[in-house]
Amino acid sequence: MPSTTPPEPPVIATVEHGVGTLTLNRPKAINALNHEMVGLISTALTRWAADPDVSTVVVTGAGERGLCAGGDILAIHRDASDLEGAGDVAATLSASAQFWRDEYRLNAAIADYPKPYVALMDGIVMGGGVGISGHGNTRVVTDRTRLAMPEVGIGLVPDVGGTRLLAQAPDELGTYAALTSVHLDGADAIALGLADHYIPAANLPAFRQAIAEQSVREALARFAVAPPPSKLAAQREWIAEAFVADTVPAILEACAQTGRPEADEAAATIATKSPTALVVTLAALHAARTEPHLRTALTREYRTSIRCLQHHDLAEGIRAQVIDKDRNPSWRPNSLDAVDAQESARFLAPLGDALDLTFELQEAPLA
């Protein structure tokens, strides 16, 4: 009887020379996160935080395409299709809700991690990939980085702490990135405050070897270089003026008034996104600016994700962009003017004490 080789785990955790390495191992899916992966990452980080033989953690992705393309979008589509019009209780019992609860708790734990947490943001880094990298204390981008929070294009609102990260970006660049879903290169990511260090992709193997031989700080001093100029930051003047407006329609009007082709292009791109998701995303960004810490933002984002499960646009957006790929979603409502203010405000409202995301079991950093 022929022997069978067991499949590799979706996250490979190894320790060598004091470095704990987490390799996201679903290369055919560009290492998109599922619930099992979140659990494996959390378990390894908890163990290594208390292990004196582990001094540093490195997070990377298998394959050549990227660190992580986001979450398991097909699983979310199944729940969204079943839960359209359902109430909060039903939505919070879904598999997607359980995934988000553990994923967002992991995001918070990463932000509090007590050891160097080096995220190698090479290649594609989207959605959930930002959550496992953007909150780390050492965020490395490369000349191959393509980072985005593309949620509004599928009827979702940026999550995994993304609204907090984007709200902190200077000159409304984060608002621009959230509403347009623009792909950011490594230089853009640093300009927006989503990353810290720039290392050419060709030098990543040598950098990783250096981490095993010396401190992270010393390795960065050897291999990190100044990023090239950010093309997005070069547009910061008109973006700051247009995207400071209080509403999405006002932002579109301000873009038109600039007389700049790139502003017209941004407005045309925004017009293709879910009107409801756009309105809620802008409100979420404004809320994030006054929230005291990441966990507050994650609790609010959990609410919006649960409400998105109940809204038509999420299932429809995933269908159009990922399943049928016709790129022709039928949004409801289909215009910004038709988005009900009270309904959009409900996306950010508390779910209730028994339903909201809490962090009682993780008030301290992972240990």
Side-chain angles (χ1 to χ4, degrees):
M1 187 172 180
S3 61
T4 59
T5 303
E8 290 186 333
V11 176
I12 299 173
T14 59
V15 177
E16 188 175 1
H17 302 301
V19 178
T21 299
L22 290 169
T23 303
L24 278 61
N25 191 36
R26 295 181 66 209
K28 291 182 179 179
I30 319 180
N31 304 313
L33 290 174
N34 58 31
H35 206 163
E36 180 186 9
M37 295 170 72
V38 168
L40 291 170
I41 295 169
S42 297
T43 298
L45 291 179
T46 300
R47 182 172 68 250
W48 291 342
D51 187 344
D53 293 328
V54 176
S55 61
T56 301
V57 171
V58 173
V59 180
T60 188
E64 298 296 323
R65 299 175 67 188
L67 172 64
C68 176
D72 188 345
I73 204 71
L74 295 180
I76 294 173
H77 179 264
R78 288 193 293 271
D79 282 341
S81 298
D82 293 339
L83 290 166
E84 182 178 342
D88 291 342
V89 172
T92 56
L93 293 175
S94 68
S96 294
Q98 300 309 309
F99 166 66
W100 284 326
R101 278 181 178 270
D102 288 341
E103 182 185 25
Y104 298 175
R105 286 169 174 159
L106 172 61
N107 300 149
I110 288 170
D112 291 334
Y113 204 65
K115 297 180 178 182
Y117 180 98
V118 183
L120 301 181
M121 303 164 72
D122 185 37
I124 293 172
V125 185
M126 294 185 183
V130 175
I132 62 166
S133 59
H135 305 297
N137 52 47
T138 309
R139 305 168 299 178
V140 176
V141 289
T142 76
D143 49 305
R144 301 192 309 185
T145 297
R146 294 295 179 269
L147 184 152
M149 296 295 289
E151 287 78 4
V152 292
I154 59 168
L156 191 59
V157 176
D159 64 341
V160 297
T163 57
R164 181 174 176 84
L165 291 170
L166 293 172
Q168 294 173 336
D171 299 315
E172 302 296 335
L173 295 175
T175 306
Y176 175 95
L179 299 185
T180 63
S181 301
V182 64
H183 285 204
L184 307 171
D185 63 20
D188 295 331
I190 289 178
L192 268 69
L194 303 176
D196 310 299
H197 309 282
Y198 189 98
I199 298 177
N203 292 340
L204 284 182
F207 171 66
R208 293 180 62 179
Q209 180 62 37
I211 291 175
E213 299 170 350
Q214 55 193 159
S215 70
V216 172
R217 179 177 297 181
E218 291 170 322
L220 287 168
R222 285 178 59 190
F223 291 98
V225 300
S230 164
K231 294 178 181 178
L232 182 58
Q235 303 179 57
R236 65 199 316 154
E237 184 174 348
W238 77 260
I239 289 174
E241 293 178 0
F243 282 79
V244 74
D246 289 335
T247 68
V248 180
I251 288 173
L252 297 179
E253 182 179 352
C255 285
Q257 292 176 349
T258 68
R260 302 176 67 105
E262 56 266 44
D264 293 338
E265 182 178 350
T269 298
I270 292 170
T272 67
K273 311 303 183 184
S274 160
T276 299
L278 289 168
V279 171
V280 176
T281 293
L282 187 60
L285 292 171
H286 292 168
R289 291 172 179 168
T290 60
E291 289 168 341
H293 46 69
L294 173 61
R295 295 182 182 198
T296 307
L298 288 166
T299 296
R300 172 184 44 73
E301 289 176 349
Y302 180 75
R303 297 166 182 167
T304 60
S305 294
I306 291 298
R307 269 55 183 267
C308 286
L309 275 181
Q310 305 168 47
H311 193 271
H312 163 82
D313 282 4
L314 181 54
E316 172 62 8
I318 297 173
R319 179 207 65 76
Q321 300 296 337
V322 180
I323 297 175
D324 296 338
K325 299 182 180 180
D326 58 30
R327 307 292 191 267
N328 187 31
S330 178
W331 305 124
R332 298 182 192 166
N334 62 3
S335 71
L336 288 165
D337 292 339
V339 176
D340 182 82
Q342 288 187 330
E343 173 64 17
S344 60
R346 192 182 77 85
F347 278 73
L348 280 68
L351 296 167
D353 291 340
L355 302 178
D356 257 328
L357 176 65
T358 58
F359 294 91
E360 289 91 350
L361 299 180
Q362 295 191 24
E363 285 302 326
L366 284 170

